Amino acid sequence: MTEAVPSDLVERAERSASPATVRVTLERLADDAPDVVAAAADHEGTAAALVAVLAASRSLTRVIEVRPQVALDVLADLDRRPPVDDGSLEALVDWRNLEFLRIAARDLTGLDRLEQVGAQLADLGRQALESACRLAEDADRDGPDGVTLAVVGMGKLGGSELNYSSDIDVMFVGEGTRTRLERRARAVMEIAGHCFRVDANLRPEGRDGPLVRSVESYEAYWERWAEPWEFQALLKARPAAGDATLGERWLEAAQERLWNRPSDADTLRSLRAMKQRAESEVAKKGLAARELKLGPGGIRDIEFTIQLLQLVHGHLDPQLRGPTTLSTLAEMASAGYVDSGDADDMATAYRLLRTTEHRVQLVDEQQVHALPSDRAALDHLARVMGRRDTTDGSAADQLLRDLRKARVGVRAIHERVYFRPLLEAFAQASPEDAALSPEAAAARLSAFGFLDAKRTQAAVKELTRGMNRSSRLMQQLLPLLLDWLSQSPDPDLGLLLVRNLLGHDRNNRTMAETFRDSPATAQALCTLAGTSRMLGDVLVRNPDLVARLDQPDRLETKPHDELVHSADRAVQWRGDVSERQETLQRWNRRHLFGVAARDVLGHADVHQVGADLTDLAAATLESALTALDPQVPFAVLGLGRFGGAELAYASDLDVIFVHDGRGAAGTDEAKRLATGLVRFVGGSTPAGRIYEVDAALRPEGKNGPLARSFGAFEPYWRDTAQTWERQAMTRARFAAGDRDLGERLLDLLDPFIWRGGLTADQMRDIRRMKARIEAERIPSGEDPEFHLKLGPGSLSDVEFTAQMLQLQYGVKATGTLDALRALRDADVLLPDDAEVLGEAYEFCERVRNRWFLVNSGPGDALPSRAEELVWLARSLDTTPGGLRDHYRRVTRRSRKVVERVFYGLPDGVA
């Protein structure tokens, strides 16, 4: 180092976070401005600030090198803010750089805490906007008269917690001619953009919306169109520059709209889902471990937690309406909305994460939120933050360890903070001692979907009663369980079923340990219990199934032979028929649970669910038939959805029975088997039913024998079978019993089913039958417009269209979706038409299946009761309005294809 650099500065450089970089810079400064360097060395505070800045920031180093004397004057008196100079754009930028330098120097030398740094940066941003407003007004050639403009600060600017490289998020409110307002606002953005990146995309309608709106226009938008995230954004919105009176009038209107609409469960679901999507995007990019802002346990977890609690409680408690994260968190802790220990831990972690983010951004004033991947850069960051290599590890290792610990703690708090204070409130000896008031507790429960506060309180007390090991463990786990239940369609139902499952001490202990070892299991349980009473009841009766929930492969439907073997093993050792029937029903329910759980948890699509339900039904029939001990060759053919491997949860089993018995004895034995199978599987009461078995599609329908001999089928089909029977047999396949007999019958009937296409009269018959079904079979009270099975463009429309085309052109396929693909591949159906029909079929089938689970019983139309529609929509990750709109969209498109292809109508003619 040149002798022109004083020894004191040399020593400071060697102790700095970046000795080599500081030495080189000091040498350049000593060569260019020796008097300045000498003066800096004579003042301890100036020397410390200079070295700290040079070690931390390349961008600020350039500021110092360009104007060393002016910069050193700033560093020599960090308590004095440089006077604002906005006489020109160049002067404003110079002033911004000097004030930025002062703020960073105070931060790096420890004079200011994080909160003060953020506030000063926000003040700098507001001053830049204020100066930009004045400069823009001066430059407006039309003069200032008639135009009033105010700038609203959003995000970290509005919250007075700006980053070193934050965008300045703004919205504009104005009065006057729109074109002049737009021009003025754009001028403000351009001028301020030389000091900060300015972003106006948080405004209503984003980039597509007008840049400036009146207060009245904002009010109209908030009233009719605003999304939940836009109200969340208003938490931090505050006037920043321009006309103060107009800005305050805007703020008053915004606050009124924000706090006069309590946030409900669907609002919070929407916000949480949006946050989860952002996290998923970070994970896909492989940044989750390095991302300080959006990664698990990062800054957004803390901010989001506080903002959601503001939305929940702010309409009752005005003290919670502040825009600043740490001060709002402190207020929440003092009022009992957040556990004080959790609040302290979150505040500590927030300061560490934000300070790390500041140091990363300060290097080059780049908008980054991730730790550097380069080891040298990471070590430099750690040293700037005060870490040094020790026996405990390198500076970088220490920083990573501290950050990892903070993020794990934040994530745990984030997952429980909504509900932990509730548990503490419920456990208090008297209401007077509770941290949360009854109103606050009820507001929080309601906002997170729990509508019955008394039942929730009773459940919590029951689950944590006593002082044994399992109850203490459950006290720790309950906040997580309540959080996961709050994300289910019906949290009250879910809590009831979880309480029933854990009601026995033995279950409580076992489940608590299972949940501790596998949070994914507990989360899956909460999802299922809050979706379907039927599934929850299965778990209550079969608690051993809970352990399988985090392992989707253990819920998969086994291959057919394994299923049959499993059922036979469970049934055969039972004594009488009734015991065997009950055992088979329990076996079926356990396996049905596996299908439904994979469905609800997103591990199986509509096609897989249909195939699994079909395999399960076939295995059930096979085992039931074996239990009846057939004495003649006997087979079951599946028709309809059963034959097409597209069973739904609510489906009957459409079947045909065939036997190859000889004489009266053979006929009697076949009758015994057919009748016995229908009773065995159908049960003597609805409670004992496994499936409704329907043989009405057999030859001669209900007037024909229940089981028909093989030899009787050929003459019937040669002389008597009608068009609808051909249509029914398009999806026929062997289901159970004597496979050789069943396959021989299918081979026998194949020429009759697929012979010669369809005549014009036969096509008319199919169309008339379809029209009659539409007119007659929708039950009273169900809305035809939203009927998933029989409504225009829904399941029945698609099925009839596919089957008629199959018969007309001789295109064989297993089920409806397979038929659409086969018809497309055979150039019978246009690809776009096949796609439209397939989309409608899959959507209606998925919704119908899910409604069965949510309703715990059959239902073919979208529910008309608002509460039930909400549960169904939530289960499908949408809203009631979104669900109905999607139904309308896909079925209307489907119906147009049906009218043209099935009914032969020209486009636009119905």
Side-chain angles (χ1 to χ4, degrees):
M1 181 175 289
T2 178
E3 295 181 0
V5 179
S7 60
D8 180 60
L9 285 181
V10 174
E11 292 176 5
R12 287 182 180 278
E14 293 303 321
R15 297 195 303 269
S16 74
S18 186
T21 299
V22 175
R23 284 198 306 267
V24 171
T25 306
L26 287 174
E27 288 176 1
R28 286 202 303 268
L29 284 172
D31 290 339
D32 296 339
D35 293 342
V36 172
V37 173
D42 290 339
H43 190 278
E44 182 175 349
T46 306
L50 174 62
V51 170
V53 171
L54 296 180
S57 175
R58 286 190 288 260
S59 61
L60 288 178
T61 295
R62 290 190 289 272
V63 170
I64 294 171
E65 289 180 326
V66 169
R67 302 178 67 192
Q69 183 60 63
V70 176
L72 264 292
D73 287 345
V74 171
L75 296 178
D77 188 359
L78 294 178
D79 291 333
R80 184 180 66 86
R81 184 187 189 190
V84 177
D85 184 354
D86 56 7
S88 66
L89 175 59
E90 293 76 13
L92 176 63
V93 173
D94 285 343
W95 172 80
R96 176 268 181 201
N97 290 339
L98 294 175
E99 174 61 0
F100 194 89
L101 171 64
R102 186 185 74 89
I103 295 169
R106 290 182 62 86
D107 180 11
L108 292 167
T109 55
L111 292 176
D112 291 333
R113 299 186 74 190
L114 173 71
E115 298 94 307
Q116 295 166 298
V117 174
Q120 290 180 72
L121 288 169
D123 283 343
L124 177 57
R126 285 188 284 266
Q127 181 59 59
L129 288 168
E130 190 66 62
S131 296
C133 286
R134 192 181 64 76
L135 289 170
E137 183 177 328
D138 290 345
D140 192 338
R141 295 178 181 177
D142 293 334
D145 294 340
V147 171
T148 304
L149 185 71
V151 187
V152 177
M154 307 292 290
K156 286 182 166 53
L157 175 63
S160 287
E161 48 194 14
L162 207 60
N163 283 340
Y164 282 110
S165 291
S166 289
D167 285 350
I168 290 185
D169 293 309
V170 298
M171 293 200 296
F172 293 97
V173 57
E175 294 177 343
T177 306
R178 179 170 178 173
T179 54
R180 292 190 60 201
L181 285 170
E182 289 262 349
R183 185 173 67 226
R184 180 75 60 80
R186 294 194 185 282
V188 170
M189 290 182 66
E190 181 181 355
I191 295 168
H194 288 273
C195 300
F196 291 90
R197 285 178 297 272
V198 182
D199 189 341
N201 290 334
L202 290 179
R203 68 185 185 267
E205 302 177 81
R207 294 178 181 177
D208 297 327
L211 186 59
V212 188
R213 289 176 181 261
S214 67
V215 173
E216 293 73 21
S217 176
Y218 276 104
E219 289 178 316
Y221 178 82
W222 293 328
E223 191 69 32
R224 298 185 61 189
W225 307 112
E227 297 287 341
W229 69 265
E230 294 178 276
F231 287 105
Q232 183 183 8
L234 290 180
L235 289 169
K236 290 184 175 296
R238 295 295 185 272
D243 189 274
T245 301
L246 181 58
E248 286 301 321
R249 188 153 66 87
W250 181 94
L251 178 62
E252 183 179 348
Q255 294 281 295
E256 181 180 355
R257 288 299 185 281
L258 176 60
W259 300 119
N260 285 347
R261 52 177 304 280
S263 297
D264 59 17
D266 285 332
T267 296
L268 268 61
R269 286 172 197 278
S270 170
L271 295 175
R272 295 171 91 177
M274 185 171 66
K275 179 177 179 296
Q276 288 170 355
R277 287 193 293 272
E279 280 189 16
S280 297
E281 289 301 313
V282 170
K284 288 178 184 177
K285 296 175 183 177
L287 293 174
R290 294 195 294 117
E291 173 68 40
L292 296 164
K293 181 178 179 180
L294 299 177
I299 295 166
R300 182 60 56 83
D301 269 2
I302 299 171
E303 295 173 336
F304 190 83
T305 298
I306 294 167
Q307 289 167 20
L308 250 61
L309 289 180
Q310 283 184 280
L311 292 173
V312 170
H313 297 294
H315 68 287
L316 294 175
D317 189 344
Q319 299 302 313
L320 304 184
R321 299 176 185 177
T324 308
T325 300
L326 288 177
S327 59
T328 303
L329 177 59
E331 181 63 37
M332 287 179 172
S334 68
Y337 295 102
V338 177
D339 175 81
S340 59
D342 285 346
D344 289 343
D345 290 344
M346 274 201 292
T348 300
Y350 184 78
R351 290 189 177 95
L352 173 62
L353 291 164
R354 283 291 306 277
T355 300
T356 306
E357 182 185 47
H358 274 185
R359 299 295 179 267
V360 171
Q361 294 181 349
L362 199 53
V363 176
D364 287 309
E365 292 184 43
Q366 295 297 307
Q367 193 176 33
V368 292
H369 306 285
L371 294 173
S373 56
D374 177 72
R375 186 69 185 187
L378 184 62
D379 183 71
H380 174 256
L381 170 65
R383 293 172 66 81
V384 170
M385 293 190 65
R387 273 67 169 180
R388 295 293 184 268
D389 297 347
T390 69
T391 55
D392 291 334
S394 68
D397 290 339
Q398 293 176 59
L399 176 61
L400 290 175
R401 187 164 56 242
D402 292 345
L403 288 171
R404 190 178 303 114
K405 180 180 178 182
R407 292 178 61 171
V408 169
V410 165
R411 192 60 166 188
I413 295 170
H414 169 71
E415 290 174 339
R416 71 170 183 262
V417 73
Y418 306 124
F419 298 103
R420 179 170 170 178
L422 289 170
L423 306 187
E424 295 171 350
F426 291 161
Q428 297 295 329
S430 65
E432 293 77 14
D433 296 330
L436 281 182
S437 68
E439 293 80 9
R444 186 173 302 192
L445 286 171
S446 176
F448 284 92
F450 295 90
L451 303 181
D452 192 335
K454 290 184 177 179
R455 187 167 69 178
T456 303
Q457 180 174 355
V460 167
K461 286 185 175 180
E462 183 175 334
L463 291 171
T464 57
R465 69 185 185 279
M467 288 301 293
N468 56 40
R469 180 171 172 270
S470 64
S471 68
R472 290 197 299 273
L473 181 57
M474 190 56 67
Q475 286 176 338
Q476 298 298 315
L477 292 169
L478 262 176
L480 287 175
L481 292 177
L482 291 173
D483 195 1
W484 290 325
L485 285 169
S486 75
Q487 299 174 51
S488 70
D490 186 354
D492 286 310
L493 170 65
L495 181 59
L496 173 65
L497 293 172
V498 169
R499 183 180 68 174
N500 291 344
L501 177 63
L502 303 179
H504 301 292
D505 289 337
R506 183 174 180 181
N507 276 358
N508 195 319
R509 182 171 60 254
T510 302
M511 292 298 168
E513 292 171 354
T514 299
F515 297 163
R516 176 199 60 199
D517 297 337
S518 175
T521 299
Q523 187 170 11
L525 168 66
C526 292
T527 298
L528 295 176
T531 297
S532 172
R533 182 183 295 275
M534 180 185 76
L535 297 183
D537 287 341
V538 172
L539 287 173
V540 170
R541 291 192 296 270
N542 301 272
D544 62 293
L545 292 175
V546 172
R548 304 183 185 185
L549 295 180
D550 70 331
Q551 303 174 53
D553 56 315
R554 296 185 65 191
L555 297 170
E556 288 182 356
T557 301
K558 298 180 178 66
H560 177 77
D561 290 345
E562 291 184 37
L563 277 176
V564 174
H565 177 69
S566 170
D568 287 346
R569 190 173 54 196
V571 170
Q572 291 305 317
W573 66 274
R574 300 290 178 178
D576 59 23
V577 172
S578 62
E579 287 184 348
R580 291 184 174 188
Q581 182 192 35
E582 291 172 4
T583 301
L584 186 61
Q585 184 187 48
R586 288 195 297 272
W587 175 90
N588 179 276
R589 291 293 180 266
R590 284 175 62 90
H591 286 78
L592 178 65
F593 173 84
V595 178
R598 282 169 48 78
D599 181 2
V600 173
L601 298 175
H603 302 307
D605 60 15
V606 168
H607 193 278
Q608 188 63 56
V609 169
D612 288 345
L613 291 174
T614 302
D615 288 343
L616 179 58
T620 302
L621 288 180
E622 188 71 59
S623 183
L625 189 57
T626 300
L628 293 173
D629 190 21
Q631 298 301 306
V632 298
F634 186 91
V636 182
L637 297 186
L639 278 65
R641 286 171 162 272
F642 187 25
E646 294 178 324
L647 278 183
Y649 297 111
S651 294
D652 295 344
L653 302 186
D654 291 314
V655 298
I656 287 178
F657 300 124
V658 58
H659 70 92
D660 206 8
R662 305 301 180 191
T667 300
D668 289 343
E669 170 63 3
K671 182 178 180 180
R672 179 189 76 85
L673 291 172
T675 303
L677 188 60
V678 171
R679 289 176 178 171
F680 195 109
V681 177
S684 56
T685 65
R689 180 175 299 145
I690 306 175
Y691 294 102
E692 181 75 39
V693 180
D694 189 346
L697 295 178
R698 64 187 184 269
E700 301 177 82
K702 295 180 180 179
N703 296 321
L706 189 58
R708 202 176 194 91
S709 70
F710 178 83
F713 275 90
E714 195 273 341
Y716 177 84
W717 272 84
R718 184 184 64 240
D719 302 328
T720 308
Q722 301 179 44
T723 303
W724 69 265
E725 293 178 279
R726 289 178 63 194
Q727 182 181 351
M729 292 296 287
T730 56
R731 292 183 285 180
R733 69 168 186 158
F734 169 76
D738 189 308
R739 179 174 290 275
D740 178 67
L741 175 60
E743 297 291 356
R744 283 196 294 123
L745 179 59
L746 288 173
D747 289 341
L748 173 70
L749 299 182
D750 190 78
F752 296 107
I753 299 168
W754 300 104
R755 63 188 174 193
L758 293 173
T759 66
D761 287 342
Q762 289 170 335
M763 293 177 68
R764 269 195 300 273
D765 288 343
I766 294 175
R767 290 167 177 155
R768 285 171 181 164
M769 182 168 62
K770 178 69 179 71
R772 189 166 64 249
I773 289 173
E774 288 182 18
E776 298 175 0
R777 293 195 181 179
I778 296 180
S780 175
E782 292 189 354
D783 188 348
E785 185 182 357
F786 292 103
H787 206 279
L788 297 160
K789 183 178 180 181
L790 301 175
S794 65
L795 294 170
S796 179
D797 263 8
V798 180
E799 290 171 338
F800 265 76
T801 300
Q803 290 159 22
M804 188 180 78
L805 292 177
Q806 284 182 266
L807 290 173
Q808 186 177 359
Y809 294 97
V811 178
K812 299 179 183 180
T814 302
T816 303
L817 292 174
D818 285 341
L820 292 175
R821 286 188 283 269
L823 291 165
R824 177 200 63 198
D825 294 343
D827 292 329
V828 172
L829 198 57
L830 292 173
D832 287 348
D833 289 346
E835 182 179 353
V836 166
L837 295 177
E839 181 185 9
Y841 186 90
E842 288 186 331
F843 173 78
C844 291
E845 183 75 341
R846 180 169 182 251
V847 174
R848 183 170 175 247
N849 272 343
R850 189 57 55 85
W851 176 225
F852 178 91
L853 297 177
V854 171
N855 192 42
S856 294
D860 290 328
L862 292 183
S864 55
R865 287 183 55 203
E867 189 176 48
E868 293 174 340
L869 186 62
V870 166
W871 293 335
L872 175 60
R874 288 174 179 171
S875 179
L876 294 165
D877 196 25
T878 185
T879 62
L883 179 60
R884 291 166 71 95
D885 287 345
H886 196 168
Y887 175 91
R888 288 190 187 97
R889 184 165 59 253
V890 299
T891 55
R892 283 174 180 171
R893 293 175 64 205
S894 171
R895 184 63 177 190
K896 288 180 180 178
V897 175
V898 171
E899 288 169 351
R900 173 167 41 84
V901 174
F902 180 79
Y903 288 108
L905 300 175
D907 281 335
V909 178

